[in-house]
Amino acid sequence: MKRMRRIIASVTAVMISCVVLSASDEKKNTNGHYWEWGWGVYYGTLMEPLDIARYDWSLINLGSIPANQKTLELLNKVLEINPQHKFLLRVWPIGGLSKLAENRYQMTLFDYFYCEGIKEKLFQKTKEQIEYFIKGLSKPESIDGISFLEELPASMSSNSWNRWKIGKPLPWDIKAFEKEIEKELGVPFDMMNPQHRLWWGKKYAEMLGDIHKVMKEASGGKKVFYWQQIAMVGTLDELKVGEPMIDKMGHSPVPIYYKDIVKPGFCDGIFGYPGNGMEERCVIPAEKINCLYFTQLSVPSFMRRLKWNDILDSVTKKDPRNIGTFVYAQNENARGVWNAVPWRDNNKAYTKISDYRMVGYFNKVGMKILEKELRPSVKFDYKIDGMKQGDFAHVFVQIFNPVNPSWYGGNANEATMKNLSVRLEVPEGYDLPQSNSAPPLLKLGDLKPYECIAGDWWLRKTSDAPSQVVVLKAIVTWNKGRSITLEARKSNEEIAAFQPHYIISNEEKWVEPAYRMPSFEPSVQIVPLSKELIAPELSSGYYNVKYNDVLYPDEVLVIGPGLKAELHQKTLFSEKICDFESDNQDGTIYDKGYLVYRTPKVATKAGKKYLFRLTGRASDGGNSLVVIIFTCGKDKKEISVLENKFSSETTTSETEVSVPELNGKGQIYMEMYFYRLNQKGSVTYKNFSFMAQEKPKDVSFKLQGRLGPLEKFFTIWQFRDNSEPDYHGKPKAIVKFFNPNETNSINDVRNLPYF
């Protein structure tokens, strides 16, 4: 008991010292910080640089995106478009620092204190992540804030304070270190003992203080923010006088005060989530300790308890400590709900990208940047090599309006390029004779979203002198003064045909060029990605063809020519995934951690049989282990396969996998987890395949309509289906035309750059 009293006294001492620090900090003047960051965006994968750059700031979400050259290139492109753009860097250094599967082998609070070497590894990874972006960004000063993870403490603990109930076992993260905790406390940890919860809070604050200090030093003193999951649970700051910490259910706030975390030289601010007690959990505490805060503006209706205008008022509140908000969106089928955003059409599914654009438009975010950057796609097509004096060449300038109306709040008129014209300038030694060619300047009228038009001229060579570098210029103007100039310096420019097109939503259209081909009946591949496609169809002009069935991610539908259709099988994952996202032909060596690789979740169906082949090797006692998890609603089944199959030489093992029946509602999904068996030695995973065991079959009887021809000089196509957009905004399908008389490109499906 004496030891227990000493611990309680130390907790009290820590809190008193924090009060002193906060009291001195209270005197600082934070007026003028209102909207210092402004409108931000929660950057995830597959966003175009302009979608990020039009906002005032964005998050670099490590843990969701990699710290690699590709990410740096995208962020530097953002800064090129908008040099004033700021970043909040969310470091995520906890991966692979725990043996606990419950947190996906990510470090927990007590890993930090009780596992030797973890603290040092955490600090090193934190420094590396911060330094990578400070050194790699063209403007290091654009990083204006750093956060350790997000939604704490849930991202590194069981987050049991508001979920644990009386009579339940100890939370898994405390249970795993029960002996170590008892040794330090002197008694077993008791969830109903307020002093034990305060002790947990002391350890939590101590850990964050250590990490925040590392972040401050590694970043050169940049702002550090504490990001708690306040939508779910608050802090002790919200307790009223006399209110017990633990209620009758066994619930409590996170057992800390903000002043335990936010201290001069360590942490500068906190996070706010509107509609879930934000005043009590953010605004009032921030005022009390005089610290900054930023907020989240959630578009999905299920993520907020407010109507849209109310949440806008909350995040833009004129508080000198409110430095800005970031918009969070995800694909959502919210039709007819009471708090849907005002632009929702009940007959339409919205992607997260279109929602980001809608929020930006209606709040007039970055409109000058859009005015500068949104432009037509302009391409040349011609062949002038080998021309002699008096010869003619046909020159095309294709102009396509790729601007989705979502950039302008769904208003197609604002996305229209008006009074479009194109002027062709030719070099010395060439001309455009009036008797044979259109005039240099063509007035083309208005170009609506996803419309295409081509100017064409007959270019004559007027000199017999050897051709020097030929420079053709196309000057395109629209909207009273906006212009773009395209120069061509080659003797042959061709607009590539038969390119893969990545489909995110049903409203997109694209151009299939055919400037050098006669009109012909093509074939087309429709390749589903992570989820099934329901009744996919293609249309162009008067032609429409529809497949009246469901197309799964391990299938490829080939339509054409004409009324023909075949269903082929493909590996369930892309070549990139099957190669473990590595360019190393010898495979990827894993000598640390337990879980070393995880595939995306993909759709499948019960009873389907696959042949799973895995190639690799092992050494020093390491070996292979693969766990396949099938889910359907709340039902889940998992199987372990190809365990301990490797040797010191590269070998290939295979097994048949059957998709089990599950009792949940909806679609069955599966994902694969690759492990380093027993966390010993090293294992090298080279590649794998996961192929359905079925032969191609004729499904022409499931077609409705007919696939149209590819005609000179181009055709415009649109894809539709009845499935919802991908949850994370990724493409849901690839569509690729090909000439059936030249090649059957089914075998090229694996080589497409993205699934």
PDB file of all heavy atoms in Angstrom, residues 596-625:
ATOM      1  N   VAL A 596       4.386  -9.504 -42.678  1.00  0.00           N
ATOM      2  CA  VAL A 596       5.308  -8.770 -43.547  1.00  0.00           C
ATOM      3  C   VAL A 596       4.630  -8.213 -44.793  1.00  0.00           C
ATOM      4  O   VAL A 596       5.149  -7.289 -45.420  1.00  0.00           O
ATOM      5  CB  VAL A 596       6.502  -9.657 -43.961  1.00  0.00           C
ATOM      6  CG1 VAL A 596       7.317 -10.045 -42.743  1.00  0.00           C
ATOM      7  CG2 VAL A 596       6.046 -10.901 -44.722  1.00  0.00           C
ATOM      8  N   TYR A 597       3.467  -8.761 -45.174  1.00  0.00           N
ATOM      9  CA  TYR A 597       2.783  -8.237 -46.357  1.00  0.00           C
ATOM     10  C   TYR A 597       1.304  -8.599 -46.282  1.00  0.00           C
ATOM     11  O   TYR A 597       0.941  -9.660 -45.770  1.00  0.00           O
ATOM     12  CB  TYR A 597       3.384  -8.803 -47.647  1.00  0.00           C
ATOM     13  CG  TYR A 597       2.860  -8.120 -48.892  1.00  0.00           C
ATOM     14  CD1 TYR A 597       3.327  -6.868 -49.258  1.00  0.00           C
ATOM     15  CD2 TYR A 597       1.883  -8.715 -49.678  1.00  0.00           C
ATOM     16  CE1 TYR A 597       2.837  -6.222 -50.381  1.00  0.00           C
ATOM     17  CE2 TYR A 597       1.385  -8.083 -50.809  1.00  0.00           C
ATOM     18  CZ  TYR A 597       1.867  -6.827 -51.148  1.00  0.00           C
ATOM     19  OH  TYR A 597       1.379  -6.181 -52.254  1.00  0.00           O
ATOM     20  N   ARG A 598       0.496  -7.708 -46.822  1.00  0.00           N
ATOM     21  CA  ARG A 598      -0.954  -7.891 -46.788  1.00  0.00           C
ATOM     22  C   ARG A 598      -1.537  -7.409 -48.107  1.00  0.00           C
ATOM     23  O   ARG A 598      -1.208  -6.320 -48.580  1.00  0.00           O
ATOM     24  CB  ARG A 598      -1.528  -7.083 -45.621  1.00  0.00           C
ATOM     25  CG  ARG A 598      -3.034  -7.039 -45.518  1.00  0.00           C
ATOM     26  CD  ARG A 598      -3.402  -6.117 -44.366  1.00  0.00           C
ATOM     27  NE  ARG A 598      -4.832  -5.958 -44.214  1.00  0.00           N
ATOM     28  CZ  ARG A 598      -5.401  -5.145 -43.333  1.00  0.00           C
ATOM     29  NH1 ARG A 598      -4.640  -4.422 -42.529  1.00  0.00           N
ATOM     30  NH2 ARG A 598      -6.711  -5.051 -43.248  1.00  0.00           N
ATOM     31  N   THR A 599      -2.389  -8.215 -48.726  1.00  0.00           N
ATOM     32  CA  THR A 599      -2.997  -7.819 -49.996  1.00  0.00           C
ATOM     33  C   THR A 599      -4.200  -6.919 -49.752  1.00  0.00           C
ATOM     34  O   THR A 599      -4.751  -6.890 -48.644  1.00  0.00           O
ATOM     35  CB  THR A 599      -3.483  -9.046 -50.786  1.00  0.00           C
ATOM     36  OG1 THR A 599      -4.597  -9.637 -50.095  1.00  0.00           O
ATOM     37  CG2 THR A 599      -2.373 -10.063 -50.970  1.00  0.00           C
ATOM     38  N   PRO A 600      -4.650  -6.205 -50.774  1.00  0.00           N
ATOM     39  CA  PRO A 600      -5.934  -5.506 -50.654  1.00  0.00           C
ATOM     40  C   PRO A 600      -7.068  -6.519 -50.506  1.00  0.00           C
ATOM     41  O   PRO A 600      -6.926  -7.701 -50.831  1.00  0.00           O
ATOM     42  CB  PRO A 600      -6.047  -4.749 -51.981  1.00  0.00           C
ATOM     43  CG  PRO A 600      -4.681  -4.748 -52.564  1.00  0.00           C
ATOM     44  CD  PRO A 600      -4.001  -5.969 -52.069  1.00  0.00           C
ATOM     45  N   LYS A 601      -8.203  -6.044 -50.040  1.00  0.00           N
ATOM     46  CA  LYS A 601      -9.399  -6.878 -49.918  1.00  0.00           C
ATOM     47  C   LYS A 601     -10.101  -6.915 -51.273  1.00  0.00           C
ATOM     48  O   LYS A 601     -10.317  -5.879 -51.894  1.00  0.00           O
ATOM     49  CB  LYS A 601     -10.324  -6.302 -48.847  1.00  0.00           C
ATOM     50  CG  LYS A 601     -11.534  -7.162 -48.523  1.00  0.00           C
ATOM     51  CD  LYS A 601     -12.398  -6.494 -47.461  1.00  0.00           C
ATOM     52  CE  LYS A 601     -11.703  -6.455 -46.118  1.00  0.00           C
ATOM     53  NZ  LYS A 601     -12.617  -5.927 -45.060  1.00  0.00           N
ATOM     54  N   VAL A 602     -10.444  -8.128 -51.750  1.00  0.00           N
ATOM     55  CA  VAL A 602     -11.091  -8.264 -53.053  1.00  0.00           C
ATOM     56  C   VAL A 602     -12.340  -9.132 -52.927  1.00  0.00           C
ATOM     57  O   VAL A 602     -12.453  -9.965 -52.027  1.00  0.00           O
ATOM     58  CB  VAL A 602     -10.139  -8.872 -54.108  1.00  0.00           C
ATOM     59  CG1 VAL A 602      -9.007  -7.921 -54.430  1.00  0.00           C
ATOM     60  CG2 VAL A 602      -9.592 -10.211 -53.632  1.00  0.00           C
ATOM     61  N   ALA A 603     -13.266  -8.943 -53.853  1.00  0.00           N
ATOM     62  CA  ALA A 603     -14.530  -9.676 -53.834  1.00  0.00           C
ATOM     63  C   ALA A 603     -14.374 -11.046 -54.482  1.00  0.00           C
ATOM     64  O   ALA A 603     -13.617 -11.224 -55.435  1.00  0.00           O
ATOM     65  CB  ALA A 603     -15.606  -8.879 -54.565  1.00  0.00           C
ATOM     66  N   THR A 604     -15.110 -12.021 -53.970  1.00  0.00           N
ATOM     67  CA  THR A 604     -15.158 -13.354 -54.565  1.00  0.00           C
ATOM     68  C   THR A 604     -16.525 -13.946 -54.258  1.00  0.00           C
ATOM     69  O   THR A 604     -17.426 -13.235 -53.805  1.00  0.00           O
ATOM     70  CB  THR A 604     -14.007 -14.233 -54.035  1.00  0.00           C
ATOM     71  OG1 THR A 604     -14.031 -15.489 -54.708  1.00  0.00           O
ATOM     72  CG2 THR A 604     -14.110 -14.445 -52.539  1.00  0.00           C
ATOM     73  N   LYS A 605     -16.702 -15.255 -54.495  1.00  0.00           N
ATOM     74  CA  LYS A 605     -18.002 -15.865 -54.209  1.00  0.00           C
ATOM     75  C   LYS A 605     -17.816 -17.278 -53.678  1.00  0.00           C
ATOM     76  O   LYS A 605     -16.828 -17.955 -53.986  1.00  0.00           O
ATOM     77  CB  LYS A 605     -18.888 -15.861 -55.451  1.00  0.00           C
ATOM     78  CG  LYS A 605     -18.292 -16.470 -56.695  1.00  0.00           C
ATOM     79  CD  LYS A 605     -19.221 -16.260 -57.877  1.00  0.00           C
ATOM     80  CE  LYS A 605     -18.589 -16.745 -59.179  1.00  0.00           C
ATOM     81  NZ  LYS A 605     -19.465 -16.489 -60.343  1.00  0.00           N
ATOM     82  N   ALA A 606     -18.772 -17.707 -52.863  1.00  0.00           N
ATOM     83  CA  ALA A 606     -18.696 -19.000 -52.191  1.00  0.00           C
ATOM     84  C   ALA A 606     -18.608 -20.137 -53.205  1.00  0.00           C
ATOM     85  O   ALA A 606     -19.265 -20.113 -54.251  1.00  0.00           O
ATOM     86  CB  ALA A 606     -19.909 -19.189 -51.286  1.00  0.00           C
ATOM     87  N   GLY A 607     -17.781 -21.125 -52.882  1.00  0.00           N
ATOM     88  CA  GLY A 607     -17.656 -22.309 -53.714  1.00  0.00           C
ATOM     89  C   GLY A 607     -16.636 -22.197 -54.821  1.00  0.00           C
ATOM     90  O   GLY A 607     -16.298 -23.200 -55.462  1.00  0.00           O
ATOM     91  N   LYS A 608     -16.116 -21.006 -55.068  1.00  0.00           N
ATOM     92  CA  LYS A 608     -15.150 -20.843 -56.151  1.00  0.00           C
ATOM     93  C   LYS A 608     -13.812 -21.444 -55.737  1.00  0.00           C
ATOM     94  O   LYS A 608     -13.377 -21.307 -54.595  1.00  0.00           O
ATOM     95  CB  LYS A 608     -14.988 -19.370 -56.499  1.00  0.00           C
ATOM     96  CG  LYS A 608     -14.306 -19.144 -57.836  1.00  0.00           C
ATOM     97  CD  LYS A 608     -14.816 -17.902 -58.527  1.00  0.00           C
ATOM     98  CE  LYS A 608     -14.320 -17.830 -59.954  1.00  0.00           C
ATOM     99  NZ  LYS A 608     -14.827 -16.652 -60.665  1.00  0.00           N
ATOM    100  N   LYS A 609     -13.149 -22.108 -56.688  1.00  0.00           N
ATOM    101  CA  LYS A 609     -11.879 -22.766 -56.410  1.00  0.00           C
ATOM    102  C   LYS A 609     -10.744 -22.025 -57.115  1.00  0.00           C
ATOM    103  O   LYS A 609     -10.870 -21.647 -58.279  1.00  0.00           O
ATOM    104  CB  LYS A 609     -11.909 -24.224 -56.872  1.00  0.00           C
ATOM    105  CG  LYS A 609     -12.942 -25.081 -56.150  1.00  0.00           C
ATOM    106  CD  LYS A 609     -12.882 -26.516 -56.628  1.00  0.00           C
ATOM    107  CE  LYS A 609     -13.974 -27.361 -55.992  1.00  0.00           C
ATOM    108  NZ  LYS A 609     -13.845 -27.438 -54.534  1.00  0.00           N
ATOM    109  N   TYR A 610      -9.646 -21.851 -56.385  1.00  0.00           N
ATOM    110  CA  TYR A 610      -8.473 -21.166 -56.911  1.00  0.00           C
ATOM    111  C   TYR A 610      -7.239 -22.037 -56.733  1.00  0.00           C
ATOM    112  O   TYR A 610      -7.141 -22.824 -55.778  1.00  0.00           O
ATOM    113  CB  TYR A 610      -8.232 -19.845 -56.175  1.00  0.00           C
ATOM    114  CG  TYR A 610      -9.327 -18.822 -56.332  1.00  0.00           C
ATOM    115  CD1 TYR A 610     -10.386 -18.773 -55.432  1.00  0.00           C
ATOM    116  CD2 TYR A 610      -9.295 -17.892 -57.364  1.00  0.00           C
ATOM    117  CE1 TYR A 610     -11.392 -17.827 -55.561  1.00  0.00           C
ATOM    118  CE2 TYR A 610     -10.291 -16.944 -57.505  1.00  0.00           C
ATOM    119  CZ  TYR A 610     -11.338 -16.914 -56.602  1.00  0.00           C
ATOM    120  OH  TYR A 610     -12.325 -15.982 -56.740  1.00  0.00           O
ATOM    121  N   LEU A 611      -6.285 -21.870 -57.638  1.00  0.00           N
ATOM    122  CA  LEU A 611      -4.968 -22.471 -57.466  1.00  0.00           C
ATOM    123  C   LEU A 611      -4.019 -21.374 -56.999  1.00  0.00           C
ATOM    124  O   LEU A 611      -3.785 -20.393 -57.708  1.00  0.00           O
ATOM    125  CB  LEU A 611      -4.464 -23.073 -58.776  1.00  0.00           C
ATOM    126  CG  LEU A 611      -3.092 -23.766 -58.677  1.00  0.00           C
ATOM    127  CD1 LEU A 611      -3.170 -24.965 -57.737  1.00  0.00           C
ATOM    128  CD2 LEU A 611      -2.595 -24.185 -60.057  1.00  0.00           C
ATOM    129  N   PHE A 612      -3.491 -21.549 -55.796  1.00  0.00           N
ATOM    130  CA  PHE A 612      -2.588 -20.573 -55.187  1.00  0.00           C
ATOM    131  C   PHE A 612      -1.162 -21.091 -55.319  1.00  0.00           C
ATOM    132  O   PHE A 612      -0.823 -22.145 -54.787  1.00  0.00           O
ATOM    133  CB  PHE A 612      -2.973 -20.375 -53.721  1.00  0.00           C
ATOM    134  CG  PHE A 612      -2.036 -19.487 -52.935  1.00  0.00           C
ATOM    135  CD1 PHE A 612      -1.400 -18.394 -53.520  1.00  0.00           C
ATOM    136  CD2 PHE A 612      -1.801 -19.735 -51.587  1.00  0.00           C
ATOM    137  CE1 PHE A 612      -0.552 -17.579 -52.795  1.00  0.00           C
ATOM    138  CE2 PHE A 612      -0.958 -18.928 -50.846  1.00  0.00           C
ATOM    139  CZ  PHE A 612      -0.326 -17.853 -51.452  1.00  0.00           C
ATOM    140  N   ARG A 613      -0.326 -20.357 -56.054  1.00  0.00           N
ATOM    141  CA  ARG A 613       1.090 -20.696 -56.219  1.00  0.00           C
ATOM    142  C   ARG A 613       1.935 -19.619 -55.550  1.00  0.00           C
ATOM    143  O   ARG A 613       1.698 -18.429 -55.746  1.00  0.00           O
ATOM    144  CB  ARG A 613       1.463 -20.786 -57.699  1.00  0.00           C
ATOM    145  CG  ARG A 613       0.969 -22.036 -58.403  1.00  0.00           C
ATOM    146  CD  ARG A 613       1.702 -22.216 -59.736  1.00  0.00           C
ATOM    147  NE  ARG A 613       1.317 -23.449 -60.409  1.00  0.00           N
ATOM    148  CZ  ARG A 613       0.456 -23.506 -61.417  1.00  0.00           C
ATOM    149  NH1 ARG A 613      -0.101 -22.391 -61.861  1.00  0.00           N
ATOM    150  NH2 ARG A 613       0.155 -24.657 -61.979  1.00  0.00           N
ATOM    151  N   LEU A 614       2.942 -20.054 -54.791  1.00  0.00           N
ATOM    152  CA  LEU A 614       3.802 -19.131 -54.052  1.00  0.00           C
ATOM    153  C   LEU A 614       5.258 -19.526 -54.260  1.00  0.00           C
ATOM    154  O   LEU A 614       5.625 -20.691 -54.085  1.00  0.00           O
ATOM    155  CB  LEU A 614       3.452 -19.165 -52.562  1.00  0.00           C
ATOM    156  CG  LEU A 614       4.292 -18.291 -51.630  1.00  0.00           C
ATOM    157  CD1 LEU A 614       4.102 -16.808 -51.955  1.00  0.00           C
ATOM    158  CD2 LEU A 614       3.922 -18.564 -50.173  1.00  0.00           C
ATOM    159  N   THR A 615       6.083 -18.549 -54.626  1.00  0.00           N
ATOM    160  CA  THR A 615       7.506 -18.787 -54.883  1.00  0.00           C
ATOM    161  C   THR A 615       8.349 -17.979 -53.907  1.00  0.00           C
ATOM    162  O   THR A 615       8.083 -16.793 -53.678  1.00  0.00           O
ATOM    163  CB  THR A 615       7.872 -18.393 -56.325  1.00  0.00           C
ATOM    164  OG1 THR A 615       7.089 -19.169 -57.232  1.00  0.00           O
ATOM    165  CG2 THR A 615       9.347 -18.645 -56.605  1.00  0.00           C
ATOM    166  N   GLY A 616       9.380 -18.635 -53.345  1.00  0.00           N
ATOM    167  CA  GLY A 616      10.273 -17.930 -52.433  1.00  0.00           C
ATOM    168  C   GLY A 616      11.291 -18.866 -51.822  1.00  0.00           C
ATOM    169  O   GLY A 616      11.449 -20.015 -52.237  1.00  0.00           O
ATOM    170  N   ARG A 617      11.981 -18.377 -50.800  1.00  0.00           N
ATOM    171  CA  ARG A 617      12.995 -19.161 -50.105  1.00  0.00           C
ATOM    172  C   ARG A 617      13.101 -18.658 -48.669  1.00  0.00           C
ATOM    173  O   ARG A 617      12.499 -17.628 -48.314  1.00  0.00           O
ATOM    174  CB  ARG A 617      14.344 -19.061 -50.814  1.00  0.00           C
ATOM    175  CG  ARG A 617      14.929 -17.662 -50.871  1.00  0.00           C
ATOM    176  CD  ARG A 617      16.208 -17.612 -51.703  1.00  0.00           C
ATOM    177  NE  ARG A 617      16.786 -16.275 -51.704  1.00  0.00           N
ATOM    178  CZ  ARG A 617      16.409 -15.297 -52.526  1.00  0.00           C
ATOM    179  NH1 ARG A 617      15.444 -15.519 -53.417  1.00  0.00           N
ATOM    180  NH2 ARG A 617      16.982 -14.106 -52.469  1.00  0.00           N
ATOM    181  N   ALA A 618      13.868 -19.369 -47.839  1.00  0.00           N
ATOM    182  CA  ALA A 618      14.004 -18.987 -46.434  1.00  0.00           C
ATOM    183  C   ALA A 618      15.392 -19.358 -45.938  1.00  0.00           C
ATOM    184  O   ALA A 618      16.092 -20.188 -46.539  1.00  0.00           O
ATOM    185  CB  ALA A 618      12.933 -19.675 -45.593  1.00  0.00           C
ATOM    186  N   SER A 619      15.794 -18.744 -44.830  1.00  0.00           N
ATOM    187  CA  SER A 619      17.097 -19.047 -44.238  1.00  0.00           C
ATOM    188  C   SER A 619      17.070 -18.754 -42.750  1.00  0.00           C
ATOM    189  O   SER A 619      16.178 -18.051 -42.250  1.00  0.00           O
ATOM    190  CB  SER A 619      18.201 -18.224 -44.914  1.00  0.00           C
ATOM    191  OG  SER A 619      17.988 -16.838 -44.723  1.00  0.00           O
ATOM    192  N   ASP A 620      18.053 -19.301 -42.043  1.00  0.00           N
ATOM    193  CA  ASP A 620      18.251 -19.044 -40.610  1.00  0.00           C
ATOM    194  C   ASP A 620      17.016 -19.361 -39.777  1.00  0.00           C
ATOM    195  O   ASP A 620      16.696 -18.643 -38.820  1.00  0.00           O
ATOM    196  CB  ASP A 620      18.677 -17.590 -40.374  1.00  0.00           C
ATOM    197  CG  ASP A 620      19.961 -17.229 -41.104  1.00  0.00           C
ATOM    198  OD1 ASP A 620      20.844 -18.106 -41.195  1.00  0.00           O
ATOM    199  OD2 ASP A 620      20.064 -16.097 -41.602  1.00  0.00           O
ATOM    200  N   GLY A 621      16.312 -20.420 -40.151  1.00  0.00           N
ATOM    201  CA  GLY A 621      15.154 -20.834 -39.368  1.00  0.00           C
ATOM    202  C   GLY A 621      13.856 -20.165 -39.743  1.00  0.00           C
ATOM    203  O   GLY A 621      12.802 -20.466 -39.172  1.00  0.00           O
ATOM    204  N   GLY A 622      13.892 -19.246 -40.695  1.00  0.00           N
ATOM    205  CA  GLY A 622      12.666 -18.587 -41.134  1.00  0.00           C
ATOM    206  C   GLY A 622      11.894 -19.465 -42.101  1.00  0.00           C
ATOM    207  O   GLY A 622      12.427 -20.431 -42.644  1.00  0.00           O
ATOM    208  N   ASN A 623      10.628 -19.120 -42.351  1.00  0.00           N
ATOM    209  CA  ASN A 623       9.858 -19.854 -43.344  1.00  0.00           C
ATOM    210  C   ASN A 623       8.553 -19.139 -43.646  1.00  0.00           C
ATOM    211  O   ASN A 623       8.281 -18.057 -43.121  1.00  0.00           O
ATOM    212  CB  ASN A 623       9.593 -21.293 -42.912  1.00  0.00           C
ATOM    213  CG  ASN A 623       9.780 -22.252 -44.090  1.00  0.00           C
ATOM    214  OD1 ASN A 623       9.105 -22.133 -45.105  1.00  0.00           O
ATOM    215  ND2 ASN A 623      10.721 -23.180 -43.944  1.00  0.00           N
ATOM    216  N   SER A 624       7.764 -19.790 -44.497  1.00  0.00           N
ATOM    217  CA  SER A 624       6.545 -19.170 -45.024  1.00  0.00           C
ATOM    218  C   SER A 624       5.334 -19.493 -44.164  1.00  0.00           C
ATOM    219  O   SER A 624       5.264 -20.532 -43.508  1.00  0.00           O
ATOM    220  CB  SER A 624       6.286 -19.678 -46.445  1.00  0.00           C
ATOM    221  OG  SER A 624       6.078 -21.085 -46.429  1.00  0.00           O
ATOM    222  N   LEU A 625       4.371 -18.592 -44.197  1.00  0.00           N
ATOM    223  CA  LEU A 625       3.048 -18.812 -43.621  1.00  0.00           C
ATOM    224  C   LEU A 625       2.105 -17.798 -44.255  1.00  0.00           C
ATOM    225  O   LEU A 625       2.395 -16.599 -44.273  1.00  0.00           O
ATOM    226  CB  LEU A 625       3.047 -18.630 -42.099  1.00  0.00           C
ATOM    227  CG  LEU A 625       1.657 -18.628 -41.436  1.00  0.00           C
ATOM    228  CD1 LEU A 625       0.952 -19.961 -41.643  1.00  0.00           C
ATOM    229  CD2 LEU A 625       1.756 -18.289 -39.955  1.00  0.00           C
TER     230      LEU A 625
END
